[in-house]
Amino acid sequence: MSKNQQILGPADRPPLARWIPLSFQHVFAMFGATVLVPLLTGLSPSTALFTAGTGTLLYILITGAKVPAFLGSSFAFIPPLIGISAEYGMTYALGGAFCAGIFYALVSGIVKLAGTKWLDRALPPVVIGSVIIVIGLNLAPTAMTSAMMNGDQYSLVYFSIAIVTLAIAIVATIFFKGFFNTISILIGLVGGYLFTLIMGMIFPAYKLIDFSVVQQANWFGLPQFAIPKFSLVPIVTFIIVSLATICEHLGDTLVTSRVVGQDFYKNPGLHRTLLGDGLASAWAALWGGPPNTTYGENIGVMAITKVYSVWVIGGAAVVALVLSFIQKFGAIIQTIPGPVMGGISMLLYGLIASSGLRTIVESGVDYKDKRNLTISSVILVIVIGGGLLPFQVGKDFTFSLGGIALATVVGILLNLILPKTVDGEK
């Protein structure tokens, strides 16, 4: 991407008056998913915000402030967190998560020694583009569920809120100029929220915002910290799961590189992004938070706004850190209705998939070549069809390699195995 297409590059620092709303835009994008993981696993949402904020700052430091990536709670580690905590206790699950982060660091050392030339061979544009497409498409059901479903029931009210939110965000993205264009996601969120609030005052069916959680929340409070403990089975379990999340890291870093227009595999280097991701997860477990991962929601925000500033991401990390202590403000964010987030996510996740399409088009991938057609087809079907490869680990836990991780592995293998020509065609 050329410089004139960027509003703010990774190293650019915006003026404070713009910096704050740009950072808050990223906070709104990541908040729901980051607090959902601890709610599902029995950990503290405040601690998750604390470790997401501090973990992101640690990642920025390790990557030399070159990669604009926000790290929030990882959904991939939900099964082992629940399974290990049920059998051994949550502190042992945290110990396993800590060791998984250290395993990332070991892998990053191997990558540094091996260099990145193998990546050009293993991950050509046909694999990279296809993986980026399915990263966005894999998130699509989450967006549509939030946009349409009230529990198990379809809701026209929910869908109307999502559509209004989406429409406001699209109008702000396409038609607004200058600074207001760069905060189009924030404008969409605020517009959808106000629409829901006003309609709720007029029609009872639209009354989805409940401020009682804000009234009950304390103004200030310390996150609930916990100290990890260590046992062999939890450690091995989390390390096995981390093999899948390392593959996902490859995909997320590819997406960020394509959106920003810089090759982060080479500068600051894949070894640094892996190290930053791993140590952020180890840091999170050390304080009692869930392991971290780079967030597609925030990549989507950057794709829309063309603001790639690490300073903006760092500002969002500081806001998350502050919110972990100001519980009432965090409760306000929790009142954002699901369909409002669903409407925004429809745009964010679609842009990630579109970035994959752009990669394929700009790289000139030839789909008359049956080899390229086969690789893309298999990657797409594995993710969209819910491909899964389970492994029994211990008596009560099954590790599954599926979704993006499985598709990435299969795509790499197909690219390495299939001959360069098929039936004499290029």
Side-chain angles (χ1 to χ4, degrees):
M1 180 175 289
S2 62
K3 288 280 186 182
N4 61 1
Q5 289 178 289
Q6 298 182 3
I7 293 176
L8 287 173
D12 296 334
R13 180 170 61 180
L16 187 62
R18 296 189 175 191
W19 188 353
I20 292 174
L22 287 171
S23 292
F24 265 99
Q25 188 168 235
H26 281 279
V27 172
F28 285 118
M30 70 81 190
F31 190 89
T34 293
V35 301
L36 179 60
V37 173
L39 290 174
L40 293 175
T41 56
L43 294 169
S44 167
S46 294
T47 307
L49 284 173
F50 174 83
T51 55
T54 53
T56 299
L57 294 174
L58 180 62
Y59 180 89
I60 291 172
L61 177 65
I62 292 171
T63 56
K66 294 180 178 179
V67 185
F70 190 95
L71 275 65
S73 306
S74 172
F75 279 75
F77 285 100
I78 289 177
L81 281 171
I82 294 175
I84 294 299
S85 63
E87 188 170 350
Y88 294 88
M90 181 55 75
T91 53
Y92 285 97
L94 293 172
F98 176 85
C99 292
I102 300 303
F103 180 70
Y104 263 74
L106 294 175
V107 172
S108 75
I110 296 172
V111 170
K112 183 177 181 181
L113 292 174
T116 57
K117 287 185 178 180
W118 60 275
L119 286 169
D120 296 330
R121 165 77 173 133
L123 292 167
V126 64
V127 176
I128 293 174
S130 300
V131 168
I132 295 174
I133 289 171
V134 293
I135 286 175
L137 295 180
N138 192 51
L139 293 167
T142 303
M144 296 312 300
T145 297
S146 298
M148 299 188 302
M149 304 302 291
N150 180 7
D152 296 329
Q153 301 293 321
Y154 174 85
S155 172
L156 186 59
V157 168
Y158 273 43
F159 194 51
S160 66
I161 292 171
I163 292 300
V164 168
T165 304
L166 175 62
I168 294 171
I170 290 174
V171 168
T173 300
I174 302 298
F175 297 105
F176 285 15
K177 303 297 182 183
F179 175 62
F180 291 105
N181 180 266
T182 65
I183 58 168
S184 57
I185 299 302
L186 184 59
I187 290 172
L189 280 167
V190 173
Y193 190 95
L194 291 176
F195 171 78
T196 309
L197 188 63
I198 294 170
M199 293 298 288
M201 295 176 182
I202 302 172
F203 304 105
Y206 282 84
K207 190 173 177 56
L208 305 180
I209 299 174
D210 183 7
F211 290 108
S212 62
V213 65
V214 180
Q215 296 171 350
Q216 295 168 7
N218 296 323
W219 274 104
F220 300 99
L222 287 174
Q224 299 174 17
F225 297 125
I227 300 175
K229 296 180 180 179
F230 303 93
S231 182
L232 181 60
V233 172
I235 290 173
V236 172
T237 299
F238 273 85
I239 287 176
I240 290 174
V241 173
S242 72
L243 294 172
T245 59
I246 286 172
C247 293
E248 292 180 350
H249 176 91
L250 295 176
D252 288 341
T253 305
L254 283 172
V255 175
T256 308
S257 295
R258 284 295 169 179
V259 166
V260 177
Q262 298 182 15
D263 190 349
F264 295 129
Y265 272 9
K266 296 180 180 178
N267 185 21
L270 180 60
H271 63 286
R272 284 207 176 189
T273 64
L274 274 169
L275 181 63
D277 200 343
L279 292 187
S281 289
W283 169 264
L286 199 61
W287 292 92
N292 288 326
T293 188
T294 50
Y295 260 27
E297 291 90 336
N298 298 89
I299 297 172
V301 170
M302 290 189 294
I304 293 174
T305 63
K306 293 184 173 60
V307 173
Y308 313 130
S309 172
V310 174
W311 292 91
V312 170
I313 297 293
V318 172
V319 172
L321 176 59
V322 171
L323 289 181
S324 69
F325 295 96
I326 306 177
Q327 298 179 0
K328 197 171 283 291
F329 195 87
I332 292 174
I333 297 180
Q334 285 182 275
T335 65
I336 298 175
V340 171
M341 291 305 302
I344 289 295
S345 298
M346 289 165 67
L347 183 59
L348 294 181
Y349 299 157
L351 277 165
I352 294 174
S354 298
S355 296
L357 288 173
R358 190 186 73 189
T359 297
I360 289 173
V361 171
E362 291 180 351
S363 301
V365 174
D366 182 10
Y367 278 111
K368 292 180 181 179
D369 185 342
K370 294 180 182 179
R371 182 179 184 276
N372 291 334
L373 196 62
T374 299
I375 292 172
S376 286
S377 299
V378 174
I379 291 174
L380 290 169
V381 170
I382 286 175
V383 176
I384 296 173
L388 198 65
L389 189 61
F391 301 93
Q392 190 70 33
V393 181
K395 184 175 66 175
D396 300 316
F397 178 74
T398 300
F399 159 67
S400 297
L401 182 66
I404 304 298
L406 179 60
T408 303
V409 171
V410 172
I412 291 172
L413 290 175
L414 285 175
N415 176 65
L416 295 175
I417 293 171
L418 294 178
K420 290 296 182 182
T421 58
V422 179
D423 296 335
E425 295 181 44
K426 291 218 172 172

